[in-house]
């Protein structure tokens, strides 16, 4: 049902100008994916979409016309052989399909769920020129889920041991990718993870209803089966420094994939009132610490009645929808630009809207007001209008003077992004950083200013997506393998 | 991993445990803390490292049983393991030879002030320590504090031991005596740290306080521990835990520490109920 609304916007923009290709109108329509009804799902944390059945998947895969020059692959940061895996699904050879998939992507069950396909492979799909593009993401999810349900997870051939030790800092999407690939090449890989569970943002950030944790754990198990060791509760920079990893622990190369992990606040009055959360904190309590199941789990979270979420990205939608599931009577997303500029995926926005999240667009908070006991009671906001485009090309929001009004809330969740966490970089002065504190790494090789040290994902490019982190992991592992084999 | 090797009860509801942890023992410096999670259902709680033995690979924690998590930790026995232990976290105390350093510890705050007093002494400072509690039975670490202090002053609220009064009274006495204090380190309940900071501000004595905010990850990722210091928001876990006492907004800190009081009570009631049921289920129990 999200389908119809969604396809109107982006696809038109992809129409090629000039010479018209005039592809035939596809006969089979894009297959819808069944999902939990909004009324029902706001009372549980179960995954919203149910996924394709075998029959639907085969019909959908048959929509792919097997282009000679498959442009969809250009849109994929990890260059999955999309037509080949789709063809295998169409032919019902699911084992072959998952094999093709896993050649390029070790974490398909995750990517099939959280990748912004509408801006990547599906945006370029030629079928999308006249109709709706092939549902590549949903088929990726289908094939990964099929494998998990029907097969012993297949372990690819692992090269003989090279005798080289690699340390990976952070068990998020970038680190897991690098670790898995290097282990396949015969290197001895250990991941050092600061938290008590693996997955990084996949486990602490993205909620269960969007990415079931059992899936993350299955993907992590796969990486472990490739021979990767994971040490938990190990904050590199504090527990061990990079120097110590090289000189005392005998590692030959290091990959840093620590993520962004330093929440931005608005710097407006009242942000330290009780009831104001960073999205990181709110989601970490709910997801990683399972506060939604308090008191069975010890970590508490506020059972709020009226919630405001500041921001317009996927994390803001995750926070808003989590708040609803925790029993909030009303959840309002406050965003300073218009819906068109919201960075969240259309599917997330649609899901949030269907569930009853209220959107106050062109609205910017100016202060949070508290009661005598330091608790949030309201948030003062200002109406905005769109002015001239700014450096990002988006029209700049301009305040409308005198338009302040108060939104009555007891909880405010700030979801306006993350900066670079300085814990590791502060302890490692040899690493060159940009002015925002992100590690400077080569675009192609991910090599940093320190010999043998590579970095990728959010700590390099700033808060972005799971698939971009994995793409960086792909580039890094190739360069690291080359480097290791020269030692 | 993280096995409890020793356990002592050092006063009513105050426990002193030694845990094996090679890396933390080796890396830890005075003023740093760990975060622990007792079991799969546990929350992540921060605690200052009181002492460590790098050779034996052990760290020592002292804690007061105040809520469900600390009671559960207190229930663990020698040989039991703590599921997760992460550290050392936070910035170490800035240690140098300042001259005369007064170390003030109130209640359970004596435990985190002890490693700082020891390090200050080691750096050549004259260390004068003031430790206080509600009454004589609740006073902890008197012997150890005297070993690392040139002078040790004791106060009790009820006068059952040492000076009758608060730690601030003893500090005031020192100032009145004309002792030239180069630095004051104060750790204890928020009210106490606030009172000490007020007093030292009046006399222009530089004061460091160590804050025990609510935390989740302890690595700067969630921002739960934020505190206002000199009108700027700081994260206790990565910018602290020590700050200039004259700049800290103690009122806000106290309010933030009480954010989950109703849930803490609910968890505690449930803990007591479960414990009673467990005891009753044991052979010979009722």
């Amino acid at each position: 049902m999200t389908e119809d609304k969604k396809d109107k916007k982006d696809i038109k923009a992809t129409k090629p100008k000039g010479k018209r290709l005039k592809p035939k109108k596809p006969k089979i329509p894009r297959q819808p994916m069944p999902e939990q009804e909004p009324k029902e799902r706001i009372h549980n944390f179960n995954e919203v979409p149910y996924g394709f059945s075998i029959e639907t998947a085969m019909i959908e895969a048959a929509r792919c016309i097997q282009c000679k020059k498959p442009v969809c692959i250009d849109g994929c940061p990890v260059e999955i052989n999309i037509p080949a895996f789709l063809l295998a699904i169409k032919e019902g050879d699911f084992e072959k399909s998952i094999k093709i998939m896993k050649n390029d992507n070790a974490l398909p069950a995750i990517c099939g769920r959280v990748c912004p396909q509408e801006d990547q492979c599906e945006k370029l799909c030629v079928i999308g020129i006249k109709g709706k593009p092939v549902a590549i993401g949903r088929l990726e999810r289908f094939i990964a889920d099929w494998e998990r349900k029907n097969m012993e997870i297949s372990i690819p051939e692992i090269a003989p041991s090279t005798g080289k030790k690699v340390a990976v800092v952070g068990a998020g999407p970038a680190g897991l990718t690098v670790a898995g690939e290097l282990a396949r090449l015969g290197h001895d890989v250990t991941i050092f993870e600061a938290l008590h569970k693996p997955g990084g943002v996949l486990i602490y950030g993205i909620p269960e209803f969007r990415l079931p944790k059992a899936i993350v754990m299955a993907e992590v198990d796969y990486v472990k089966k490739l021979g990767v060791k994971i040490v938990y509760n190990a904050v590199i920079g504090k527990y061990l420094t990079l120097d110590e990893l090289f000189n005392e622990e005998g590692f030959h190369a290091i990959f840093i994939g620590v993520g962004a992990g330093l929440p931005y606040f608005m710097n407006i009055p009242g942000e330290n009132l009780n009831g104001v959360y960073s999205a990181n904190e709110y989601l970490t309590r709910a997801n990683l610490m399972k506060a939604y199941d308090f008191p069975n789990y010890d970590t508490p979270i506020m059972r709020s009645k009226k919630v405001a979420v500041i921001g317009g990205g996927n994390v803001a939608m995750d926070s808003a929808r989590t708040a609803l599931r925790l029993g909030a009577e009303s959840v309002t997303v406050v965003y300073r630009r218009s819906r068109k500029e919201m960075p969240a995926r259309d599917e997330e926005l649609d899901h949030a809207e269907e569930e009853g999240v209220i959107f106050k667009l062109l609205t910017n908070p100016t202060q949070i007001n508290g009661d005598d006991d330091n608790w949030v009671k309201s948030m003062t906001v200002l109406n905005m209008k769109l002015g001239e485009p700014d450096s990002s090309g988006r029209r700049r929001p301009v305040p409308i003077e005198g338009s302040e009004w108060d939104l009555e809330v007891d909880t405010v969740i700030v979801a306006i992004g993350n900066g670079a966490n300085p814990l590791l970089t502060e302890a490692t002065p040899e690493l060159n950083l940009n002015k925002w504190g992100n590690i400077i790494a080569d675009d192609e090789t991910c090599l940093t200013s320190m010999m043998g040290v590579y970095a990728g994902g959010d700590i390099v490019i700033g808060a972005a997506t799971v698939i971009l982190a994995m793409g960086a992991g792909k580039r890094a592992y190739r360069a690291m393998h080359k480097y290791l084999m020269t030692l | 991993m993280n096995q409890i090797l020793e356990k002592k009860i050092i006063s009513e509801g105050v426990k002193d445990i030694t845990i094996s942890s090679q890396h933390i023992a080796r890396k830890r410096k005075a003023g740093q803390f760990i975060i622990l999670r007792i079991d799969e259902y546990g929350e992540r709680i921060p605690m200052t490292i009181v002492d460590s033995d790098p050779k034996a690979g052990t760290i020592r924690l002292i804690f007061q049983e105040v809520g469900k998590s600390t009671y559960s930790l207190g229930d663990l026995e020698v040989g039991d393991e703590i599921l997760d232990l992460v550290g050392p976290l936070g910035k170490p105390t800035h240690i140098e030879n300042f001259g005369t350093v007064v170390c003030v510890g109130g209640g359970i705050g004596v435990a985190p002030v002890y490693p700082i007093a020891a390090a200050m002494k080691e750096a050549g400072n004259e260390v004068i320590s003031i430790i206080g509690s509600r009454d004589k039975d609740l006073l902890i670490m008197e012997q150890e504090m005297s070993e690392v202090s040139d002078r040790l002053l004791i106060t009790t609220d009820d006068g059952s031991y040492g000076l009758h009064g608060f730690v601030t009274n003893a500090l005031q006495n020192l100032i009145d005596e004309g002792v030239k204090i180069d630095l004051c380190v104060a750790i204890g309940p928020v009210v106490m740290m606030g009172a000490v900071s007020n007093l030292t501000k009046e006399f222009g004595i530089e004061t460091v306080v160590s804050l025990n905010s609510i935390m989740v990850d302890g690595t700067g990722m969630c921002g739960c521990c934020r505190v206002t210091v000199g009108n700027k928001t700081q994260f206790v876990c990565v910018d602290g835990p020590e700050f200039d006492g004259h700049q800290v907004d103690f009122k806000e800190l106290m309010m933030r520490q009480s954010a989950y009081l109703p849930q803490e009570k609910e968890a505690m009631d449930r803990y007591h109920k479960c414990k009673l049921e467990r005891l009753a289920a044991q052979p010979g129990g009722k």
Side-chain angles (χ1 to χ4, degrees):
Chain A
M1 57 184 67
T2 51
E3 201 66 12
D4 305 316
K5 277 181 252 169
K6 184 179 142 184
D7 284 20
K8 280 177 206 152
K9 289 187 246 171
D10 276 354
I11 308 307
K12 274 183 195 153
T14 65
K15 265 189 187 171
K17 284 183 184 147
K19 204 175 150 194
R20 296 290 294 262
L21 292 171
K22 286 202 179 171
K24 276 185 198 159
K25 199 177 161 97
K27 289 184 194 102
I28 319 162
R30 180 168 158 126
Q31 299 298 297
M33 181 155 65
E35 54 187 32
Q36 268 199 81
E37 283 302 316
K39 266 187 199 151
E40 179 192 329
R41 71 192 191 223
I42 58 166
H43 300 296
N44 67 57
F45 276 83
N46 301 337
E47 192 175 16
V48 171
Y50 293 122
F52 279 155
S53 66
I54 288 181
E55 296 72 29
T56 320
M58 288 172 71
I59 296 170
E60 182 62 31
R63 295 181 66 229
C64 172
I65 55 169
Q66 298 291 316
C67 300
K68 282 219 174 71
K69 282 184 186 159
V71 282
C72 51
I73 300 182
D74 299 340
C76 177
V78 298
E79 295 170 20
I80 294 167
N81 189 346
I82 294 165
F85 102 82
L86 293 183
L87 183 64
I89 293 179
K90 177 186 160 191
E91 290 167 350
D93 191 347
F94 303 138
E95 242 182 284
K96 183 175 165 197
S97 179
I98 189 68
K99 236 182 203 152
I100 296 165
M101 169 67 65
K102 286 214 161 161
N103 258 333
D104 298 302
N105 184 359
L107 312 171
I110 294 168
C111 294
R113 287 173 166 82
V114 303
C115 263
Q117 293 100 5
E118 67 274 19
D119 289 326
Q120 299 178 350
C121 49
E122 294 182 19
K123 185 175 184 172
L124 299 178
C125 174
V126 277
I127 300 293
I129 297 172
K130 268 279 167 102
K132 292 176 185 174
V134 178
I136 303 168
R138 293 169 177 187
L139 288 165
E140 177 181 25
R141 171 194 158 140
F142 162 79
I143 200 64
D145 289 354
W146 178 87
E147 184 199 30
R148 214 176 45 258
K149 276 179 222 141
N150 296 290
M151 278 173 72
E152 279 281 307
I153 298 288
S154 61
I155 304 299
E157 208 176 315
I158 291 170
S161 169
T162 60
K164 301 290 188 289
K165 279 178 74 179
V166 179
V168 171
V169 187
L176 288 171
T177 304
V178 170
E181 299 292 350
L182 288 177
R184 273 174 73 176
L185 292 167
H187 303 295
D188 177 6
V189 185
T190 306
I191 303 181
F192 294 91
E193 167 55 46
L195 290 172
H196 55 263
K197 281 210 166 81
V201 70
L202 307 171
I203 206 93
Y204 75 73
I206 303 177
E208 179 77 17
F209 54 83
R210 202 148 76 80
L211 178 63
K213 300 309 143 208
I215 289 171
V216 180
M217 294 318 281
E219 303 279 34
V220 171
D221 276 346
Y222 169 73
V223 172
K224 281 194 197 158
K225 280 193 180 137
L226 298 171
V228 173
K229 287 160 276 187
I230 307 182
V231 180
Y232 299 107
N233 302 314
V235 181
I236 299 301
K238 293 279 181 190
Y239 171 92
L240 280 169
T241 61
L242 295 192
D243 275 342
E244 286 164 334
L245 286 173
F246 279 128
N247 300 324
E248 291 175 27
E249 307 287 321
F251 288 98
H252 298 97
I254 298 172
F255 177 81
I256 302 170
V258 293
L262 187 77
Y264 287 138
F265 285 89
M266 301 275 294
N267 292 319
I268 56 174
E271 267 184 316
N272 290 352
L273 290 167
N274 288 351
V276 182
Y277 288 97
S278 72
N280 281 2
E281 182 189 351
Y282 195 73
L283 293 173
T284 300
R285 283 180 182 272
N287 298 325
L288 177 73
M289 306 309 296
K290 297 200 172 14
Y292 60 80
D293 197 11
F294 178 89
N296 287 325
Y297 283 81
D298 292 342
T299 303
I301 193 163
M302 273 154 208
R303 293 298 175 134
S304 318
K305 289 201 166 65
K306 292 182 173 172
V307 180
V309 178
I310 306 173
N314 290 327
V315 176
M317 297 311 124
D318 286 346
S319 305
R321 297 171 68 197
T322 298
L324 277 180
R325 284 160 174 78
L326 286 169
E329 291 162 8
S330 78
V331 179
T332 308
V333 166
V334 175
Y335 181 59
R336 64 194 180 124
R337 302 182 198 242
S338 72
R339 171 143 178 171
K340 214 176 92 202
E341 287 86 17
M342 285 183 118
R345 296 183 61 196
D346 290 340
E347 184 174 320
E348 306 312 325
L349 291 171
D350 292 341
H351 275 152
E353 226 163 21
E354 285 163 17
E355 289 170 10
V357 171
I358 303 158
F359 288 84
K360 289 284 174 209
L361 304 173
L362 289 165
T363 305
N364 202 30
T366 54
Q367 73 172 42
I368 304 167
N369 312 300
D371 63 16
D372 293 342
D373 295 324
N374 208 50
W375 284 90
V376 172
K377 62 172 189 191
S378 70
M379 184 165 81
T380 306
V381 298
L382 191 61
N383 294 336
M384 313 288 278
K385 60 182 178 202
L386 289 179
E388 294 301 307
D390 62 13
S391 58
S392 74
R394 297 185 297 179
R395 291 178 68 189
R396 189 194 302 276
V398 186
I400 300 172
E401 262 180 68
S403 66
E404 285 97 344
W405 54 281
D406 279 1
L407 180 66
E408 196 192 312
V409 286
D410 56 20
T411 300
V412 174
I413 303 168
V414 185
I416 57 169
N418 278 277
N421 188 310
L423 254 191
L424 183 140
T425 49
E426 262 178 12
T428 321
E430 302 94 314
L431 281 175
N432 287 348
L433 309 179
N434 68 14
K435 64 176 169 178
W436 298 284
N438 296 104
I439 296 175
I440 297 175
D442 184 85
D443 280 347
E444 263 320 295
T445 63
C446 297
L447 181 65
T448 68
S449 53
M450 263 177 103
M451 201 170 96
V453 179
Y454 298 74
D458 283 4
I459 189 61
V460 173
I461 55 175
T465 61
V466 169
I467 190 70
L468 283 175
M470 291 176 54
K474 285 253 154 179
R475 294 193 299 279
Y477 97 81
R478 291 191 191 113
M480 289 176 81
H481 176 61
K482 224 182 237 172
Y483 169 75
L484 286 163
M485 298 320 281
T486 64
L487 296 181
Chain B
M1 289 266 280
N2 317 326
Q3 195 178 38
I4 298 178
L5 303 175
E6 275 178 62
K7 178 182 172 182
K8 279 182 270 185
I9 299 168
I10 57 173
S11 95
E12 174 78 38
V14 178
K15 291 179 177 167
D16 177 347
I17 57 175
T18 300
I19 309 168
S20 73
S21 181
Q22 213 75 37
H23 275 287
I24 301 176
R26 197 161 62 103
K27 300 292 283 194
R28 152 280 160 179
K29 293 195 175 87
Q32 289 187 298
F33 64 94
I34 52 93
I35 281 188
L36 62 81
R37 191 172 76 119
I38 297 168
D39 57 32
E40 200 49 48
Y41 296 92
E43 60 180 336
R44 292 169 65 100
I45 50 172
M47 259 180 214
T48 304
I49 305 166
V50 175
D51 209 347
S52 68
D53 182 340
K55 271 194 197 135
T58 59
I59 61 165
R60 183 175 166 213
L61 305 175
I62 293 178
F63 59 93
Q64 185 168 23
E65 292 170 334
V66 287
K68 198 244 163 176
S69 294
T70 41
Y71 269 95
S72 304
L73 184 62
D75 288 342
L76 298 183
E77 297 298 343
V78 170
D80 289 344
E81 288 181 357
I82 294 167
L83 182 61
D84 295 299
L85 184 65
V86 53
L89 297 170
K91 295 201 158 93
T93 310
H94 174 62
I95 303 286
E96 67 170 65
N97 191 343
F98 294 95
T100 300
V101 178
V102 174
C103 294
V104 186
I108 191 71
V110 179
V113 100
Y114 165 75
I116 298 171
M120 288 294 182
K121 178 78 191 145
E122 173 99 18
N125 290 285
E126 178 177 351
V127 174
I128 304 173
S129 296
I130 303 171
I131 59 173
S133 64
R134 276 212 316 275
D135 61 44
K136 184 171 190 263
D137 291 339
L138 292 171
L139 191 76
I140 59 168
M141 302 185 79
E142 180 187 352
Q143 177 60 33
E144 287 173 284
M145 282 303 288
S146 77
E147 284 165 15
V148 297
S149 310
D150 295 278
R151 260 177 92 182
L152 178 67
L153 308 172
I154 292 165
T155 67
T156 49
D157 298 3
D158 68 349
S160 53
Y161 192 49
L163 178 76
H164 186 171
F166 302 121
V167 287
T168 38
N169 298 120
L171 182 59
Q172 181 73 58
N173 291 349
L174 280 179
I175 294 167
D176 293 345
E177 272 176 39
V179 175
K180 188 185 159 291
I181 303 171
D182 297 296
L183 178 73
C184 176
V185 179
I187 310 179
V190 177
V191 177
M192 182 219 97
M193 291 192 286
V196 168
S197 298
N198 273 340
L199 178 60
T200 55
K201 192 172 184 178
E202 200 180 310
F203 294 94
I205 302 165
E206 198 184 317
T207 299
V208 169
V209 293
S210 177
L211 308 183
N212 188 10
S213 316
I214 301 175
M215 293 184 190
V216 184
D217 65 291
T219 63
M221 191 264 281
C222 82
C224 171
C225 62
R226 59 199 191 278
V227 58
T228 304
V229 182
N231 294 320
K232 241 183 93 186
T233 293
Q234 303 264 286
F235 288 5
V236 173
C237 66
V238 287
D239 300 318
E242 292 170 9
F243 294 101
D244 177 353
H246 300 157
Q247 304 278 325
V248 171
D249 184 342
F250 288 106
K251 185 169 169 258
E252 177 192 89
L253 175 68
M254 198 144 68
M255 305 270 206
R256 287 189 66 81
Q257 283 190 342
S258 62
Y260 291 102
L261 280 183
Q263 288 92 335
E264 283 166 24
K265 192 182 170 299
E266 186 184 343
M268 201 56 225
D269 291 346
R270 194 177 138 106
Y271 165 84
H272 280 311
K273 195 167 157 269
C274 292
K275 193 161 185 177
L276 285 174
E277 283 169 6
R278 263 204 314 279
L279 289 174
Q282 276 170 11
K286 287 182 199 171

